[in-house]
Amino acid sequence: MTLAAILKGLNERQREAVTSPLGNTLVLAGAGSGKTKVLVSRIAWLIEEEHLSPHGILAVTFTNKAAGEMKARLNGMLSTPVLGLWVGTFHGLCHRLLRRHYKEANLPELFHILDSDDQARMIKRVIALLNLDPEQWPVKQAQSFINGRKDEGIRPQHVHTLPYGPGKTLLNIYSAYEQACQTAGVIDFAELLLRTHELLRDNPEILNHYRQRFQAILVDEFQDTNTIQYAWIRLLAGEHAAVLAVGDDDQSIYGWRGAKVENIQQFSQDFKNTQIIRLEQNYRSTATILNAANALITHNNSRMGKDLWTDGATGEKILVYGAFNELEEARFVCERIMMEINQGGSADEIAILYRSNAQSRVLEEALLRAGIAYRIYGGVRFFDRAEVKDVLAYLRLLVNHNDDTAFERVVNFPTRGIGEKTLDDLRHYAKSEQCSLWHAAKTLLQSGEMAQRAGSALSKFIELIEQLYQNTQSMELDEQLSVVIQLSGLHAHFSKIKGDKSESRLDNIQELINAAKQFRYEQEEDEEIPLINAFLAHASLEAGEMQAGEHERYVHLMTLHAAKGLEFPIVFLVGMEEGVFPGKQSLEEPGRLEEERRLCYVGMTRAMRKLVLSYAEIRRQYGREEYHRSSRFLRELPHELLDEVRVKAKFQAPVISRNKPAAIPETSGLSLGQSVTHAKFGQGVVLAVEGSGAHTRVQVKFREHGVKWLVLAYANLAVEL
């Protein structure tokens, strides 16, 4: 590949980032500024112009999708295949290192990775073994505590807590959980990073090997790194590797899950002679959208500074719609979508973004009524589906009989007469002897101490697993899965379920067989572990990738967090109210408020041509109607860039004439002061009516429930004569 080919289509700043001397570089890449293109071109430059071997380059991404895209683009750019180049996520790369050095990491050769659900199951079992009340010590709380400590690089022995109180108990759960994982030969996602960091830190010869190997390290989405990820990069780089970090402090929106925006701000202090390059030219949005986003983000104090610009069109003003309530807001969004489609637009060009998933319900109902096809982005993921996890648990137990999480999931599924009492006996024995549940089952069966019925059922399960292991040894991966699904009874179990659920679940386990077959074909020949183990690791690491079809035409619904990295010609950002966005909690913490503003910035910069911002004056939350003022983020946008539309409520004074009721549009059939009855709210008096036709609203003061605004078409009010 020629120099000209590598640099083709790059602007001045992009070219500077790609061709910068071999050293530490921080690329502040604004939204839509072509950072993926820069990263790929930089790797090509290092190989072709700096003559680095692909073997000496490490590229770290945050999603498997991004890693795959990077590899595909590189193979398209370079004349020879990129062999030896390590491209992957933090978790994927750490998994690779731990497989290679499992002995030094104090792990079994064929260790398994626990996903979030598996981890929760194990923590639940630990809480039970510690005789703690699960109501008082919820699994989610303990899970968050454990993962939070691991993300900070802190083992139980390094946690500072009072000798009493909740902190002490959570620490005990953490310690017991670590012991349980070590016994079972399993690790969780957070452990992948922490264990790898410790492996490199405590084994100088291994660390020196990789420091000598990797001359260049490239990290994408650097603003999303947490403490242990940052420490891992620093440790691996040492003093000599050239680190190129690409990120945007204005798009740091994952503080709630441990990401530290401070890492990108600290980079130039921790990595010597850092060159900072800003990518500010945007290839996505109109000038109006960019100018508004720039104005918004300047209200954050702790930022490195950057102004997006485009040489593209100015574009139309941002539409700001003030709705009466969330129903009105959803109706308006649907009307605008229909207008776009009727004018030749496509549904798949449109996205509706919201702060929390709970906001989707009203929007979904409105879209259904309007006959607009939609999809919730980020529904239940393929490898997270219960039936898929059931099959994989059987597979895990075949390759590692000591996997307690897998054992507990399938020992009595499908039901085979093994009750909780039997399982409790196994757990107590396993705890006392510091062994796995499988070993406990084998030992207790051999001793003859178990009740006949329970012993018989447990014995059949053990025999089933051993039979499956023997029968599938010489089979291909997809054939192994087919046999497991049939002989375990899973296929028969799901076939018995009535209706669509049965079909859906059977389709999913069939798709798992297809996935295994595809995995077999795509797997590299030099894979260092057995195919079945590689597939199980793949399933754990890939959990989170979107599995829905990409070619159907539908409106995309998603949270603002899910929207990061995506773009759409038309974007609706709904729920722009104080207490909703920004949320109530963020209003109490200045740092949180800045992250909320960054989230708004991310949402706005998803839009390419049109951006619509909306809010509701009244929104039903927590079972009651709440009045909100518009979001401060709206008020921080330049007025000249906005086209504001607001429903003017025709409020009428609740003064009732003694002689004659006020006239109301005949279509409503109601008069001011008229007594009405509602099925839920009981008796009330009409105070005001606004709108016409299907959108007529009525304000009623109910005796027991106060003043309510109701959409007349859905209220079903009974008039008292």
Side-chain angles (χ1 to χ4, degrees):
M1 168 158 284
T2 64
L3 172 63
I6 294 174
L7 301 181
K8 185 180 178 183
L10 298 178
N11 65 40
E12 186 182 344
R13 288 287 171 264
Q14 289 174 330
R15 197 177 296 115
E16 185 184 356
V18 168
T19 62
S20 62
L22 206 56
N24 296 319
T25 309
L26 176 62
V27 179
L28 293 173
S33 62
K35 68 178 177 65
T36 306
K37 189 175 183 178
V38 166
L39 276 167
V40 172
S41 300
R42 173 66 172 176
I43 295 171
W45 172 273
L46 292 174
I47 295 169
E48 296 289 339
E49 297 299 320
E50 298 286 351
H51 307 295
L52 260 64
S53 164
H55 188 78
I57 300 172
L58 176 73
V60 190
T61 64
F62 263 80
T63 65
N64 292 301
K65 185 179 177 183
E69 186 182 346
M70 196 175 287
K71 284 180 185 174
R73 287 201 193 185
L74 272 171
N75 286 324
M77 282 181 78
L78 299 172
S79 52
T80 55
V82 188
L83 299 172
L85 172 72
W86 279 27
V87 181
T89 63
F90 277 103
H91 293 100
L93 294 168
C94 286
H95 170 249
R96 192 168 184 171
L97 285 165
L98 291 177
R99 290 289 181 197
R100 287 194 167 191
H101 307 285
Y102 66 90
K103 285 183 181 175
E104 294 88 347
N106 193 25
L107 288 168
E109 183 177 4
L110 300 178
F111 67 84
H112 176 70
I113 306 166
L114 297 175
D115 65 16
S116 183
D117 286 349
D118 291 334
Q119 184 191 33
R121 282 171 175 267
M122 184 165 264
I123 293 170
K124 185 178 180 180
R125 189 163 66 86
V126 165
I127 290 170
L129 289 171
L130 292 173
N131 295 317
L132 295 171
D133 181 359
E135 295 291 324
Q136 189 178 354
W137 302 101
V139 170
K140 289 288 184 188
Q141 180 192 15
Q143 191 173 21
S144 177
F145 177 84
I146 292 167
N147 292 338
R149 301 295 84 71
K150 286 189 178 187
D151 286 346
E152 294 291 327
I154 301 171
R155 292 289 185 199
Q157 60 268 31
H158 302 132
V159 176
H160 299 294
T161 183
L162 295 170
Y164 56 87
K168 179 66 176 174
T169 304
L170 288 169
L171 181 57
N172 290 341
I173 295 170
Y174 184 9
S175 298
Y177 168 75
E178 278 220 322
Q179 182 58 56
C181 287
Q182 196 65 36
T183 301
V186 297
I187 62 174
D188 55 48
F189 268 67
E191 184 71 20
L192 280 168
L193 284 126
L194 180 53
R195 189 70 68 102
T196 306
H197 183 267
E198 291 171 344
L199 168 73
L200 296 173
R201 182 196 66 195
D202 300 338
N203 295 274
E205 68 285 355
I206 296 175
L207 177 61
N208 288 333
H209 167 78
Y210 287 106
R211 278 182 171 177
Q212 288 173 16
R213 171 174 177 167
F214 295 124
Q215 298 168 265
I217 300 173
L218 301 92
V219 189
D220 194 12
E221 304 287 4
F222 201 81
Q223 77 281 349
D224 294 335
T225 54
N226 62 25
T227 299
I228 196 69
Q229 288 165 342
Y230 188 63
W232 185 81
I233 292 290
R234 286 189 68 188
L235 184 64
L236 194 56
E239 295 293 320
H240 304 294
V243 180
L244 181 135
V246 181
D248 183 3
D249 57 320
D250 290 333
Q251 294 188 74
S252 180
I253 59 174
Y254 296 115
W256 52 276
R257 69 181 189 196
K260 297 287 180 68
V261 68
E262 297 87 351
N263 291 346
I264 196 168
Q265 297 164 345
Q266 187 66 28
F267 185 90
S268 56
Q269 277 76 52
D270 292 334
F271 293 85
K272 292 180 180 177
N273 304 317
T274 295
Q275 181 185 3
I276 299 177
I277 299 169
R278 289 172 168 81
L279 304 184
E280 297 174 305
Q281 185 173 358
N282 177 282
Y283 294 92
R284 176 187 298 156
S285 307
T286 65
T288 297
I289 293 169
L290 294 179
N291 291 338
N294 286 333
L296 173 79
I297 204 65
T298 55
H299 287 81
N300 277 3
N301 296 317
S302 55
R303 58 189 295 263
M304 301 183 73
K306 172 176 40 49
D307 277 320
L308 298 181
W309 61 275
T310 180
D311 57 8
T314 303
E316 59 189 68
K317 288 185 177 183
I318 297 166
L319 180 61
V320 178
Y321 183 75
F324 173 70
N325 58 19
E326 73 270 28
L327 298 172
E328 166 70 26
E329 181 184 44
R331 182 191 60 79
F332 166 78
V333 169
C334 289
E335 285 181 355
R336 293 291 301 195
I337 290 172
M338 288 303 300
M339 187 178 80
E340 293 291 343
I341 294 171
N342 291 335
Q343 290 175 355
S346 177
D348 58 6
E349 295 181 335
I350 302 169
I352 306 173
L353 312 182
Y354 37 78
R355 180 63 182 85
S356 68
N357 270 312
Q359 291 170 255
S360 78
R361 183 187 64 82
V362 173
L363 292 162
E364 286 186 73
E365 288 181 358
L367 290 163
L368 284 167
R369 282 199 298 270
I372 300 170
Y374 72 91
R375 184 189 69 174
I376 303 257
Y377 185 95
V380 178
R381 299 161 294 193
F382 181 77
F383 287 110
D384 280 343
R385 292 170 190 169
E387 56 274 21
V388 173
K389 288 171 71 74
D390 293 331
V391 178
L392 293 176
Y394 273 101
L395 217 59
R396 285 165 45 193
L397 205 55
L398 291 193
V399 300
N400 178 10
H401 293 342
N402 296 320
D403 188 334
D404 284 351
T405 310
F407 185 101
E408 287 221 29
R409 185 176 187 103
V410 300
V411 66
N412 197 41
F413 186 80
T415 309
R416 50 177 61 91
I418 301 170
E420 199 61 27
K421 170 69 169 62
T422 305
L423 286 174
D424 276 340
D425 290 343
L426 294 181
R427 291 174 188 132
H428 287 304
Y429 185 87
K431 184 186 179 185
S432 63
E433 296 298 319
Q434 290 290 297
C435 65
S436 67
L437 292 172
W438 176 274
H439 184 78
K442 296 272 288 189
T443 306
L444 290 174
L445 284 170
Q446 287 167 6
S447 70
E449 294 177 17
M450 299 192 76
Q452 186 177 354
R453 196 169 170 182
S456 174
L458 189 60
S459 180
K460 285 179 181 176
F461 174 72
I462 298 290
E463 287 168 11
L464 169 68
I465 299 300
E466 290 176 340
Q467 181 194 347
L468 285 171
Y469 179 78
Q470 292 298 328
N471 292 353
T472 59
Q473 281 302 288
S474 59
M475 293 180 179
E476 295 289 2
L477 179 60
D478 47 302
E479 294 172 333
Q480 287 180 302
L481 273 165
S482 294
V483 171
V484 167
I485 289 164
Q486 290 296 335
L487 295 187
S488 65
L490 286 173
H491 189 277
H493 172 79
F494 292 128
S495 299
K496 290 175 188 172
I497 301 170
K498 303 295 182 187
D500 294 339
K501 284 189 176 180
S502 169
E503 189 176 344
S504 168
R505 288 171 178 174
L506 290 172
D507 286 348
N508 282 336
I509 58 178
Q510 180 57 54
E511 187 56 33
L512 183 62
I513 298 171
N514 297 340
K517 187 179 287 188
Q518 184 183 344
F519 183 80
R520 173 161 63 88
Y521 289 148
E522 294 176 351
Q523 200 61 2
E524 295 175 5
E525 290 182 7
D526 63 346
E527 182 59 45
E528 298 151 0
I529 61 172
L531 192 63
I532 189 170
N533 296 86
F535 180 67
L536 288 167
H538 163 80
S540 293
L541 292 167
E542 290 283 313
E545 298 294 308
M546 276 292 300
Q547 298 295 324
E550 296 294 331
H551 304 293
E552 301 170 51
R553 295 194 172 185
Y554 42 65
V555 175
H556 305 264
L557 272 68
M558 67 191 76
T559 64
L560 284 154
H561 284 99
K564 188 166 178 289
L566 304 176
E567 60 182 34
F568 303 92
I570 303 167
V571 169
F572 292 85
L573 211 171
V574 302
M576 298 285 291
E577 302 131 38
E578 290 290 296
V580 176
F581 187 41
K584 288 178 182 174
Q585 289 181 319
S586 65
L587 299 177
E588 300 165 6
E589 303 173 40
R592 288 277 297 275
L593 181 59
E594 291 212 348
E595 181 160 317
E596 288 281 285
R597 188 174 284 108
R598 290 196 292 269
L599 189 57
C600 187
Y601 175 85
V602 166
M604 291 174 67
T605 53
R606 299 312 93 195
M608 299 163 71
R609 289 192 289 107
K610 292 184 182 181
L611 176 61
V612 181
L613 309 174
S614 64
Y615 64 95
E617 293 181 354
I618 299 172
R619 186 175 299 274
R620 181 169 287 277
Q621 288 186 302
Y622 316 111
R624 63 180 184 272
E625 287 183 337
E626 294 188 354
Y627 292 78
H628 297 283
R629 63 183 302 206
S630 61
S631 170
R632 68 187 66 199
F633 302 152
L634 288 176
R635 300 193 296 274
E636 289 168 358
L637 302 178
H639 185 73
E640 62 274 14
L641 301 178
L642 309 178
D643 181 12
E644 297 186 66
V645 179
R646 190 169 176 274
V647 175
K648 299 292 182 184
K650 304 182 186 73
F651 291 106
Q652 301 185 42
V655 178
I656 302 163
S657 169
R658 293 176 182 270
N659 302 319
K660 188 179 178 182
I664 297 295
E666 289 182 11
T667 53
S668 75
L670 294 175
S671 306
L672 291 184
Q674 194 159 24
S675 295
V676 292
T677 303
H678 187 271
K680 182 178 178 182
F681 303 128
Q683 288 185 317
V685 176
V686 176
L687 301 184
V689 177
E690 67 173 46
S692 61
H695 310 304
T696 304
R697 302 174 200 83
V698 58
Q699 189 186 42
V700 182
K701 184 177 182 181
F702 293 100
R703 289 180 184 176
E704 296 182 5
H705 294 273
V707 177
K708 306 281 183 190
W709 276 98
L710 306 170
V711 178
L712 194 59
Y714 305 109
N716 292 324
L717 293 172
V719 177
E720 296 184 5
L721 300 173

